[in-house]
Amino acid sequence: MTHLTRLLSAALAIAAAPAALAGQACPNDAISVTGTAEAPFACTCAPGVNASGWVYGTDRYTADSAICTSAVHAGVIQAGPGGDVTLYTGEGCGSFVSTTRNGITSASWGSYGATFAFVTPLPACATAAAATPAPTA
């Protein structure tokens, strides 16, 4: 392998690395985080994730949702051991739906200008119809 080939390989590896390295503690929320498919944001949730952090939405969360609590809700990590998460940010959505998953109940919310998810491409935004529970008989 030539010197130039090694340099190019190293440059490509750096370019493909997440925007933050796993092992770095996750911020409380994703308001000032950028994570794209090409450059995801990775961080580590400490053991004993606070299950009472605010979470708005399901699968696609408002940027002010607690990252680690959202990760537990999404099933990416468990609250007890915590763990590494990778997230992707995106544009806002018109509505967010509430669900209970993995012991975490998220809240519904209206329009919010920035979002994140733990998969790419980001899940579709919730529709107004999905935000309204179906009538029961």
Side-chain angles (χ1 to χ4, degrees), residues 7-129:
L7 286 174
L8 287 173
S9 294
L12 289 173
I14 290 169
L21 300 175
Q24 172 183 322
C26 291
N28 290 332
D29 57 48
I31 291 173
S32 59
V33 166
T34 301
T36 64
E38 297 78 26
F41 182 86
C43 58
T44 300
C45 295
V49 171
N50 181 354
S52 63
W54 292 104
V55 176
Y56 300 98
T58 298
D59 297 325
R60 190 164 178 168
Y61 303 94
T62 62
D64 64 342
S65 294
I67 291 173
C68 293
T69 309
S70 298
V72 173
H73 181 265
V76 175
I77 61 168
Q78 295 178 351
D84 295 336
V85 299
T86 300
L87 59 97
Y88 306 88
T89 57
E91 296 179 358
C93 291
S95 64
F96 297 84
V97 297
S98 169
T99 57
T100 299
R101 291 182 177 167
N102 304 307
I104 306 288
T105 300
S106 66
S108 294
W109 196 256
S111 182
Y112 196 88
T115 63
F116 72 90
F118 300 99
V119 296
T120 186
L122 271 64
C125 293
T127 63

